[in-house]
Amino acid sequence: MKSIYKLSTVLFLSILLASCSSDDDSTQLSGTGMVKIEFDNSVSGDDLILGSSYTNSQNETLTIERLNYIVGNFRLTDADGNIFTYPKDTGFFITSEETGKTEVVLYDVPAGKYTSITFGIGVDQEKYLLGAEGQGDLLTEAENNNMMWSWQAGYKFLNFEGTFTSATVTDDTNFKIHMGSHGSSLDNYKETTLSLGTDALVSDDMTPIIHIVANAGNILDGQHKISLTEQAVIMVSEEKSPLIATNTSNMFTVDHVHNGDGSSH
């Protein structure tokens, strides 16, 4: 009888806990909410501090003075494979280590448990071909943050600058890596999809913070090795710009997801 009593008690508690858990989930994940995405810029595992130096695999020592890039076309995929696409008209953002604006906030995201995030690096042709009047605030922000050559030449998707030395370049020499698309013949817009590892829980009272690490060392030292000693200024290059675009799209990883009310990291 004692065994039956204990078993009944365990079953009752299990059902009660499952019911409470179900109620909690339904309460937490209702309505719409915000998703915050924090881009934590780094270099080869260390926090990026402008003015600091590091040495790449080609024995070039870089002192980074600027790291700006455009991200947009955000899509969140939930555990059931449903995809939420953030509106394109307000869906592009400039992150800048110079200004400290490295957080992106997505509003009115449907409640759910999101397992992955997709976003583009740069501005796609569809957005650009809306014309200057169709860019909204992005055009002004790009002009104010050194992320535009001219309207005709287009956006700089990446603005990476500083100085470097190497075995054969012994004096500090400026480097400039500006990458973007140049007409339909050189479309360097890329997208990346990242697994979140931990579900991002979104509801009217739950705001997840997704911490994404961007390894700036990957820009020149990723899948494709780009030598500054060989060419220190790269802006419009049919050969190297696509390689830098690929490197840049692969520099992002999810470090962790913080689920909470969004008031702290």
Side-chain angles (χ1 to χ4, degrees):
M1 289 294 292
K2 288 183 179 179
S3 297
I4 295 174
Y5 174 76
K6 289 179 180 179
L7 181 60
S8 299
T9 302
V10 170
L11 288 173
F12 174 76
L13 289 174
S14 298
I15 294 170
L16 180 62
L17 288 172
S19 175
C20 290
S21 176
S22 176
D23 290 343
D24 288 344
D25 287 346
S26 64
T27 300
Q28 292 174 351
L29 305 181
S30 62
T32 60
M34 295 186 298
V35 172
K36 295 183 178 181
I37 306 159
E38 182 65 38
F39 287 90
D40 300 321
N41 295 317
S42 70
V43 182
S44 303
D46 296 323
D47 288 340
L48 172 60
I49 300 174
L50 295 182
S52 62
S53 300
Y54 80 98
T55 301
N56 64 20
S57 67
Q58 301 178 83
N59 291 317
E60 297 172 332
T61 299
L62 283 66
T63 301
I64 301 171
E65 302 292 351
R66 171 176 290 163
L67 176 62
N68 298 349
Y69 47 88
I70 299 175
V71 289
N73 280 333
F74 284 89
R75 301 190 293 282
L76 294 164
T77 302
D78 68 16
D80 297 321
N82 300 309
I83 299 174
F84 167 70
T85 300
Y86 199 69
K88 198 178 196 72
D89 56 349
T90 57
F92 289 85
F93 308 86
I94 295 171
T95 70
S96 171
E97 190 66 26
E98 281 183 293
T99 65
K101 293 180 179 178
T102 58
E103 185 178 76
V104 167
V105 181
L106 308 181
Y107 296 94
D108 297 323
V109 178
K113 297 180 179 180
Y114 293 97
T115 60
S116 69
I117 186 170
T118 299
F119 59 91
I121 300 90
V123 179
D124 63 349
Q125 289 289 312
E126 181 182 348
K127 175 72 171 177
Y128 181 70
L129 292 176
L130 292 175
E133 66 281 359
Q135 303 305 301
D137 295 335
L138 179 61
L139 183 57
T140 300
E141 291 178 10
E143 291 171 339
N144 292 339
N145 286 277
N146 299 295
M147 297 302 286
M148 175 73 74
W149 281 295
S150 67
W151 174 245
Q152 289 74 22
Y155 291 99
K156 300 174 188 176
F157 299 171
L158 168 74
N159 188 332
F160 183 51
E161 298 181 356
T163 61
F164 82 100
T165 59
S166 69
T168 56
V169 180
T170 55
D171 294 330
D172 284 341
T173 300
N174 291 330
F175 73 83
K176 293 185 178 182
I177 307 298
H178 298 173
M179 183 273 296
S181 291
H182 309 283
S184 58
S185 62
L186 192 58
D187 185 0
N188 288 317
Y189 173 80
K190 300 286 185 182
E191 292 193 340
T192 186
T193 297
L194 305 174
S195 172
L196 298 182
T198 300
D199 292 354
L201 307 180
V202 180
S203 72
D204 50 12
D205 60 0
M206 291 282 286
T207 299
I209 304 173
I210 302 171
H211 288 264
I212 295 178
V213 173
N215 178 12
N218 212 72
I219 295 170
L220 301 175
D221 209 16
Q223 176 183 344
H224 304 288
K225 307 299 181 184
I226 309 295
S227 171
L228 293 175
T229 303
E230 178 183 301
Q231 185 177 352
V233 177
I234 303 173
M235 294 188 183
V236 182
S237 170
E238 292 187 4
E239 175 192 358
K240 294 183 178 179
S241 292
L243 303 182
I244 293 168
T246 297
N247 282 353
T248 302
S249 68
N250 290 325
M251 74 177 183
F252 301 98
T253 56
V254 173
D255 184 73
H256 68 280
V257 176
H258 172 82
N259 283 306
D261 60 8
S263 60
S264 64
H265 292 243

